Amino acid sequence: MTLPADSHVHSEFSWDTGGPDSAARGTMEATCARAVRIGLPALFFTEHLDLEDAWFSDSEDFADHERHLLDADGIVHVPRFDLDGYLESIDRCRAAFPELRIGTGLEFGQPHLRAEAARQQLDFSDFDRVIGSLHTLEFEGRRVEPNTLFRRLPADDVIRRYLAEVPALVAGDEPFEIVTHLDYALRYWPEELEGPVDPRRYEEEFRTALRAIADSGRALEMNTRRLWSWMPRWWSEEGGRAISFGSDAHMPHALAHGFPEAVAMVEEFGFRAGATAQELWRR
């Protein structure tokens, strides 16, 4: 099996790894070495671009190496993306691993709300792949991630609020071609209180979100942290034409996790590889 590119990979230049001056230093190089070792032909380092100015979080929702980003009022302050350092590291890795296709990229959080602020910092045309993510939701005048919101609202409400914002995410012409981890809110489902989640309870809401993404002409990411057979099926049935594969790896060992299973799964619903590993799969 020839693996597709991993279109959702993080390195030390994503703030939630600790940053380039932390113990995460060298993650990009180590991830490239692992890609070569496992036969992955291509990847995109899609570093976080989060520009929220009123993002609230509970301290327990941040790992030890991230907790210093929270102020006394629980507001998150994310450091500015080190573009120059990132591009220098990309160039070094391209020279060190010539057999690996290494693409530049961003994971842009809430692009429908932060595009203008982002354009003041960087030029999107400098990146090979920009993926769009919905990480936070509006709550009492601030933005809050699902894990924090589950402590404040009924679980069903959190899932439905998340999916209800997806049409707004894709309604404009913001510069991202792929919608990532549509199941993001499900990652934090409070299983100890609610029991196992059955995504079919939200089929109508998922289908509405998928239809909006398809109508926007964007691709859907098959995020392989959790594999759901209903995701590519509902995507194809709601008019989806293109997909990417993304592990959302923040450590080298997670690169391309679940890719063989994901490839077999999406082929079942008519998606096929392009001419190169970097291309989106289409049906």
Side-chain angles (χ1 to χ4, degrees):
M1 175 185 291
T2 300
L3 296 174
D6 193 332
S7 289
H8 190 166
V9 183
H10 297 276
S11 76
E12 65 265 35
F13 292 95
S14 284
W15 61 266
D16 59 351
T17 65
D21 296 322
S22 74
R25 178 186 290 274
T27 298
M28 182 181 289
E29 182 177 354
T31 300
C32 291
R34 177 163 176 79
V36 171
R37 192 159 59 247
I38 66 175
L40 187 72
L43 56 77
F44 294 83
F45 283 105
T46 51
E47 311 298 354
H48 283 299
L49 182 67
D50 290 311
L51 301 174
E52 297 293 354
D53 55 9
W55 171 12
F56 173 84
S57 180
D58 295 325
S59 62
E60 55 263 49
D61 292 332
F62 269 45
D64 290 345
H65 68 278
E66 303 168 315
R67 211 159 283 143
H68 68 282
L69 301 174
L70 289 170
D71 68 17
D73 296 321
I75 301 299
V76 183
H77 299 276
V78 174
R80 188 181 179 115
F81 175 50
D82 180 7
L83 177 60
D84 291 340
Y86 166 78
L87 293 176
E88 289 173 6
S89 188
I90 288 283
D91 286 343
R92 287 195 300 271
C93 285
R94 284 172 171 168
F97 303 95
E99 66 272 53
L100 178 65
R101 301 299 182 203
I102 303 171
T104 58
L106 293 170
E107 182 183 2
F108 189 4
Q110 294 70 249
H112 60 311
L113 303 176
R114 305 300 174 196
E116 186 55 39
R119 289 189 178 100
Q120 294 175 13
Q121 291 192 16
L122 45 79
D123 184 347
F124 284 101
S125 66
D126 291 338
F127 297 89
D128 300 315
R129 180 150 292 173
V130 180
I131 60 180
S133 293
L134 180 61
H135 292 127
T136 65
L137 302 173
E138 182 77 16
F139 181 70
E140 296 183 348
R142 299 181 291 191
R143 302 293 296 188
V144 184
E145 286 222 42
N147 50 356
T148 305
L149 202 52
F150 275 125
R151 297 190 188 93
R152 290 160 173 82
L153 291 174
D156 283 347
D157 288 359
V158 176
I159 301 298
R160 292 192 168 101
R161 281 186 181 219
Y162 184 89
L163 294 171
E165 190 162 336
V166 172
L169 176 76
V170 298
D173 61 355
E174 287 76 22
F176 65 100
E177 62 179 318
I178 299 165
V179 175
T180 69
H181 47 49
L182 191 62
D183 63 344
Y184 187 71
L186 292 178
R187 287 185 184 180
Y188 304 105
W189 179 262
E191 187 166 339
E192 289 185 4
L193 295 175
E194 301 288 340
V197 65
D198 181 358
R200 291 172 297 180
R201 288 164 54 182
Y202 313 104
E203 179 173 351
E204 180 180 349
E205 290 87 351
F206 267 108
R207 285 185 177 273
T208 297
L210 289 165
R211 192 158 54 249
I213 298 168
D215 290 346
S216 78
R218 292 182 172 90
L220 180 71
E221 175 185 270
M222 292 295 115
N223 190 280
T224 60
R225 279 198 182 187
R226 298 179 76 175
L227 293 174
W228 308 99
S229 62
W230 50 265
M231 186 76 79
R233 177 166 66 84
W234 293 352
W235 174 236
S236 64
E237 289 173 354
E238 296 302 330
R241 305 298 298 176
I243 65 167
S244 69
F245 296 84
S247 66
D248 202 356
H250 285 67
M251 296 289 288
H253 71 268
L255 182 71
H257 168 77
F259 270 34
E261 295 90 340
V263 165
M265 188 171 67
V266 304
E267 286 181 337
E268 181 71 19
F269 298 100
F271 292 94
R272 297 292 181 263
T276 68
Q278 300 95 302
E279 292 182 32
L280 299 174
W281 282 41
R282 299 186 184 275
R283 57 188 299 274

